[in-house]
């Protein structure tokens, strides 16, 4: 996994008009207020770099999906960005119509404009190959107004939508600072040979995580894979571990029993998977107890103390740690401890640590340390860790060949 793509540091941006694909997709409350601005903050280095290079900047992003409560207009996002940058950020309630086009044409060097939610344009919802996406109205109307396209939205890199894969085919395209940081963290994780390389995989996305375990095993990338959450329960049963009836019922309720067979196949192929020894359990009468996994009687809600301490010891000795997905049901404060303790062990280790976005990213929101990378990617990170091609990267490679004459091996 080697990403060889130009970034904003490799081109002269002086006086250019740049179209920057960001991912400002934030959690939104019922009143439409932004609940967490981590995703916006993550793009500040790119925006500041473009400002320093005297370019004029037009930002394009989605927010939510049609029909969902967080599918909203982006005025609040522009206000938040303006507050974070300490300068005016212009906003227009339009994406590609005459009003937006006029505003883009009149934008001067050093100014920033945020277009409205790109998913208000129905073409953006359709996934198709880049050759199709470059012919959309969105791309045909907007591309002629720009000198360069900057891709900075790692969290969307698994989508093949016009604003992601269409523009690179018609404009010189480079990576932004966030994208560069995400790709170099991934490269370090996948390519560094120094063992032990540890993956701590939890959460509820069991199907996707099995694919990751499969890939890490096939390519001999992981020295050890410590599983937690629903992933841990599934692999425990797949390994032939004994469990109480309530754990089987729980897996059935979550529709996970069909994945046990697949997980077993991965285990039999030699996957270096560890599973939890004990769990924190919610009993039917509402009490919370810790029990060894084979005698659990109730709902498994978190990993237990013994598992935390065994896993923490391994994490502290590792050279590279990748953590994705919570160890338990962290929405309830009674079941956050397992996840918090494992995160603490990772932070206290001397390892290079990559934390998968989502829940874990939010828990570490204000942590700043040199050897930690908190990824903004959800689905995109899952795909990348499973060794699957990211459409955004493929489109950027095509662009680099076409406009900058770079060559890639097929
Ligand atoms: C995310 O939150 O993972 C990205 O913003 C992509 O959103 P999507 O899954 O709606 O495409």
């Amino acid at each position: 996994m080697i990403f060889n793509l130009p970034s904003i540091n490799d081109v002269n941006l002086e006086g250019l008009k740049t179209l920057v694909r960001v991912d400002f997709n934030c959690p939104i409350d019922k009143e439409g207020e932004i609940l967490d601005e981590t995703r916006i903050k993550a793009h500040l280095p790119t925006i500041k770099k473009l400002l320093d290079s005297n370019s004029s900047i037009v930002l394009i992003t989605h927010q939510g999906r049609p029909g969902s409560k967080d599918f909203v207009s982006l005025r609040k996002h522009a206000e938040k960005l303006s507050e974070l940058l300490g300068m005016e950020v212009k906003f227009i309630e339009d994406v590609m119509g005459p009003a937006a086009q006029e505003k883009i044409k009149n934008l001067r060097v050093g100014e920033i404009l945020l277009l409205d939610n790109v998913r208000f344009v129905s073409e953006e919802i359709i996934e198709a190959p880049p050759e199709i996406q470059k012919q959309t109205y969105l791309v045909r109307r907007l591309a002629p107004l720009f000198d360069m396209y900057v891709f900075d939205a790692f969290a969307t890199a698994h989508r093949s939508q016009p604003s992601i894969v269409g523009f690179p085919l018609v404009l010189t395209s480079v990576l932004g600072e966030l994208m560069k940081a995400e790709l170099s963290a991934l490269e370090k994780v996948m390519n560094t040979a120094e063992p032990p390389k540890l993956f701590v995989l939890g959460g509820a996305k069991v199907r996707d995580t099995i694919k990751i375990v499969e890939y890490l095993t096939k390519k001999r990338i992981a020295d050890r894979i410590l599983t937690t959450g629903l992933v841990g329960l599934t692999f425990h049963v797949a390994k032939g571990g004994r469990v109480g009836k309530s754990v089987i019922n729980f897996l059935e309720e979550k529709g996970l029993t069909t994945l046990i067979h697949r997980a077993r196949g991965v285990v039999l192929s030699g996957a270096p998977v560890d599973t939890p020894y004990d769990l924190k359990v919610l009993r039917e009468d509402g009490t919370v107890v810790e029990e060894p996994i084979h005698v659990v009687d109730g709902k498994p809600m978190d990993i237990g103390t013994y598992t935390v301490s065994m896993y923490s010891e391994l994490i502290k000795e590792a050279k590279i740690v990748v953590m994705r997905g919570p160890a338990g049901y962290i929405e309830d404060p009674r079941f956050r401890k397992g996840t918090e303790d494992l995160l603490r062990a990772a932070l206290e280790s001397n390892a290079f640590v990559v934390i998968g976005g989502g829940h874990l990213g939010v828990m570490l929101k204000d942590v700043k340390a040199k050897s930690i990378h908190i990824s903004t990617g959800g689905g995109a990170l899952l795909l990348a860790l499973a060794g699957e091609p990211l459409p955004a990267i493929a489109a950027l490679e095509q662009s680099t060949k076409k406009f900058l004459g770079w060559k890639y091996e097929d």
Side-chain angles (χ1 to χ4, degrees), residues 15-29:
L16 299 191
K17 196 161 277 180
T18 49
L19 176 65
V20 188
R21 179 49 159 110
V22 287
D23 185 341
F24 284 178
N25 186 23
C26 297
I28 305 282
D29 73 8

Side-chain angles (χ1 to χ4, degrees), residues 121-141:
V121 176
S122 56
E123 289 173 325
E124 179 68 7
I125 314 301
I126 299 164
E127 301 240 4
E131 291 297 337
I132 304 280
Q133 303 297 34
K134 81 170 196 201
Q135 291 164 29
T136 52
Y137 279 96
L138 180 81
V139 174
R140 281 191 292 164
R141 284 192 180 165

Side-chain angles (χ1 to χ4, degrees), residues 17-180:
K17 196 161 277 180
T18 49
L19 176 65
V20 188
R21 179 49 159 110
V22 287
D23 185 341
F24 284 178
N25 186 23
C26 297
I28 305 282
D29 73 8
K30 283 191 203 110
E31 278 71 47
E33 295 296 329
I34 295 171
L35 286 170
D36 178 68
E37 70 256 28
T38 307
R39 284 262 176 98
I40 300 179
K41 272 189 183 157
H43 292 288
L44 293 181
T46 302
I47 296 169
K48 285 182 181 161
K49 177 87 199 182
L50 291 170
L51 284 171
D52 289 347
S53 313
N54 290 324
S55 81
S56 47
I57 305 163
V58 177
L59 304 169
I60 188 163
T61 177
H62 71 284
Q63 166 66 59
R65 297 174 183 168
S68 66
K69 290 213 174 74
D70 61 351
F71 186 55
V72 295
S73 175
L74 302 181
R75 185 174 298 280
K76 294 269 164 55
H77 297 63
E79 285 166 12
K80 183 53 79 184
L81 178 61
S82 162
E83 192 186 308
L84 291 167
L85 285 169
M87 65 176 281
E88 187 197 2
V89 171
K90 296 176 190 293
F91 171 69
I92 182 144
E93 275 182 18
D94 186 16
V95 182
M96 63 173 191
Q101 291 184 32
E102 199 54 30
K103 200 97 175 170
I104 295 168
K105 280 182 197 152
N106 293 332
L107 199 72
R108 289 196 296 262
V109 161
E111 290 184 328
I112 305 176
L113 167 68
L114 174 65
L115 300 175
D116 213 339
N117 192 342
V118 66
R119 288 186 180 170
F120 288 174
V121 176
S122 56
E123 289 173 325
E124 179 68 7
I125 314 301
I126 299 164
E127 301 240 4
E131 291 297 337
I132 304 280
Q133 303 297 34
K134 81 170 196 201
Q135 291 164 29
T136 52
Y137 279 96
L138 180 81
V139 174
R140 281 191 292 164
R141 284 192 180 165
L142 292 187
L145 308 177
F146 294 96
D147 304 299
M148 187 153 319
Y149 173 78
V150 177
F151 183 74
D152 208 29
F154 176 68
T156 69
H158 58 312
R159 301 276 177 229
S160 194
Q161 292 165 338
S163 75
I164 299 158
V165 302
F167 288 112
L169 262 59
V170 294
L171 282 169
T172 305
S173 304
V174 291
L175 305 177
E177 295 286 321
L178 173 64
M179 195 59 199
K180 237 177 62 181

